[in-house]
Amino acid sequence: MTKPTLLALSATALLLTQSALAAPKPCDELKAEIAARLDEKGVKGYEITAVENYKVGDAKVIGSCDGGTKKLTYVRK
């Protein structure tokens, strides 16, 4: 194969990989994954909530879910 062909194949493979990694997740699934990571680190006294994008306000956003229609917010209790 020629160098331009290999480059094109590599670029296509990279784009397909990124699309798979960036696939939208349901809020409950992402919330559970983040909570598990925080629990592993010993973080206590927090709340993760899924809210509509327009209801975020001043909350700390830690993720996006349901195809980008909602944000996960984090609050220390």
Side-chain angles (χ1 to χ4, degrees):
M1 284 189 201
T2 64
K3 192 172 184 177
T5 304
L6 286 175
L7 183 60
L9 288 174
S10 296
T12 302
L14 180 62
L15 288 173
L16 291 174
T17 302
Q18 287 180 343
S19 295
L21 292 175
K25 288 191 176 195
C27 290
D28 290 338
E29 183 180 335
L30 184 58
K31 183 178 174 180
E33 288 176 12
I34 293 172
R37 282 187 247 148
L38 291 172
D39 292 344
E40 283 177 11
K41 293 180 179 185
V43 178
K44 304 243 185 263
Y46 65 87
E47 182 176 351
I48 299 173
T49 308
V51 297
E52 300 293 329
N53 288 337
Y54 65 91
K55 293 183 180 179
V56 170
D58 293 334
K60 180 175 182 176
V61 175
I62 58 170
S64 178
C65 54
D66 284 353
T69 61
K70 294 184 180 176
K71 302 285 189 224
L72 290 181
T73 59
Y74 171 89
V75 176
R76 299 271 307 181
K77 290 183 178 180

